Amino acid sequence: MRAPQLCWGRSSRDFVNPPVAEQQVDVEECFRFPFCARSMTTPGRPAGSVCLSKRLTIIGGEETAPHELPYQVSLQWNYSNDTIPPMHFCGGAVLTESWILTAAHCKTSYTADGYIEVVAGAHDILNRGEVNQRRKIEQIITHERYCGTVCPYDIALIRVAEPFVLGDTVKPIRLPALNASFQGSALHLIAIVVVLQKVVLPLVDYDECRQLWYDVSHLADTNVCAGPEDGSKSSCSADSGGPLVTMNGTRASEEPVLIGLVSWGPYPCASPWRPNIFTGVAYFVDWIEQHLQVGPREEEKEDPQ
């Protein structure tokens, strides 16, 4: 399994173009941010790291009420070291008590002896006194057509080793109908390094999005585009795999439907005329349901690290 090489603005995902100049920063400062290139020589500590962006907050959004969005999860890297707190690096959405949906590029690793945990029911992920549910991963299934970098089919299923206890703070989200289309605005949930935030993003017609992203080849008709023309509202750091859901006013719908998962976007974040790009979940409903029904087979199991 490959380790992240360079990341150009958000978590470990690749972007359209690398930055012109890299910003060298103190190693200890770089360590606090998940969206850094990490060349490891000492377990649990980055050596020779390069940080290219340190923005930790959603642009134009607001903090959610605690447990307002119980289907959001945080993917965190556990360093197997009590002196280093787990690091949030991606988001995801609860489908069942055992399955999480996220972006395929969130299948990554940071240290040789660490591992991924899925944290549900969290609001402030730095608050160690907060009651939440933390699970190790049993299996990660990435879409067989995902290329491993910026490209379509950026979707993955995670099976946790122990089922979540569903209730008021942890609930599954509904899948859309196969090939369903959506208009208007949607709510994007961002599990950042401090507290869970949200932002309302206008959905952008695919043909218009195609014109705005005229200079890239990896935008596909299985993507969903969202974001205002002026870039005043946008996702940013460490929110890969986070859900885009249907909404009512400024809140999620009473029974929200999962529209998309954060896949890629512009560098820097919140660039005008560059909407954020999500994996359109409606185009993968059959793929999702197929794996949920079959469950893990021994020959299909992958090393979750």
Side-chain angles (χ1 to χ4, degrees):
M1 180 175 195
R2 78 185 194 288
Q5 300 300 312
L6 272 184
C7 34
W8 302 318
R10 306 181 209 166
S11 77
S12 60
R13 72 154 100 42
D14 298 311
F15 275 73
V16 179
N17 296 302
V20 175
E22 297 175 349
Q23 177 190 1
Q24 297 283 352
V25 302
D26 178 78
V27 167
E28 289 301 313
E29 179 183 5
C30 184
F31 174 71
R32 294 186 291 112
F33 299 96
F35 32 97
C36 301
R38 299 184 181 275
S39 175
M40 306 304 297
T41 56
T42 302
R45 295 286 174 178
S49 299
V50 177
C51 285
L52 305 180
S53 174
K54 298 185 293 179
R55 187 160 197 150
L56 290 179
T57 184
I58 186 176
I59 294 97
E62 61 184 274
E63 181 178 343
T64 67
H67 312 304
E68 176 185 345
L69 310 165
Y71 39 83
Q72 169 83 40
V73 299
S74 168
L75 302 188
Q76 298 183 15
W77 186 257
N78 189 309
Y79 291 92
S80 298
N81 186 329
D82 292 339
T83 66
I84 306 175
M87 177 189 69
H88 167 84
F89 66 93
C90 271
V94 177
L95 295 185
T96 72
E97 67 273 11
S98 297
W99 290 96
I100 305 298
L101 193 65
T102 188
H105 72 262
C106 289
K107 181 182 178 182
T108 187
S109 62
Y110 290 91
T111 58
D113 55 351
Y115 55 91
I116 297 174
E117 290 183 311
V118 182
V119 183
H123 177 68
D124 180 347
I125 58 179
L126 291 186
N127 179 2
R128 294 199 173 188
E130 182 179 67
V131 177
N132 54 48
Q133 298 183 49
R134 187 176 292 270
R135 300 289 188 268
K136 291 184 177 181
I137 288 176
E138 178 177 305
Q139 180 186 25
I140 301 178
I141 304 173
T142 57
H143 197 284
E144 55 275 9
R145 296 182 65 181
Y146 176 60
C147 72
T149 180
V150 182
C151 59
Y153 303 98
D154 187 10
I155 191 169
L157 282 162
I158 294 175
R159 183 182 177 98
V160 293
E162 177 187 352
F164 287 110
V165 178
L166 301 181
D168 290 340
T169 62
V170 181
K171 294 181 180 179
I173 190 168
R174 294 169 57 202
L175 288 173
L178 180 64
N179 297 326
S181 60
F182 299 88
Q183 296 179 335
S185 295
L187 192 68
H188 175 35
L189 319 178
I190 292 84
I192 61 167
V193 177
V194 183
V195 295
L196 182 62
Q197 295 194 348
K198 64 182 179 181
V199 66
V200 177
L201 299 177
L203 296 171
V204 179
D205 176 77
Y206 178 78
D207 291 337
E208 179 182 352
C209 185
R210 174 77 270 171
Q211 293 178 11
L212 294 173
W213 282 103
Y214 66 92
D215 52 347
V216 302
S217 61
H218 44 267
L219 180 65
D221 55 10
T222 55
N223 287 127
V224 171
C225 308
E229 294 178 349
D230 62 2
S232 59
K233 296 181 178 182
S234 175
S235 55
C236 198
S237 303
D239 62 312
S240 292
L244 182 74
V245 307
T246 56
M247 58 175 295
N248 179 18
T250 59
R251 298 178 60 86
S253 305
E254 290 299 321
E255 294 186 4
V257 173
L258 183 58
I259 299 174
L261 305 165
V262 178
S263 183
W264 55 274
Y267 181 86
C269 304
S271 297
W273 308 103
R274 294 291 202 182
N276 291 279
I277 309 302
F278 299 77
T279 300
V281 175
Y283 302 105
F284 298 97
V285 172
D286 283 350
W287 180 85
I288 294 168
E289 292 182 342
Q290 172 191 350
H291 287 288
L292 294 190
Q293 291 169 3
V294 171
R297 297 175 180 170
E298 289 301 319
E299 65 270 21
E300 292 178 343
K301 286 190 176 182
E302 305 175 41
D303 182 356
Q305 298 181 27

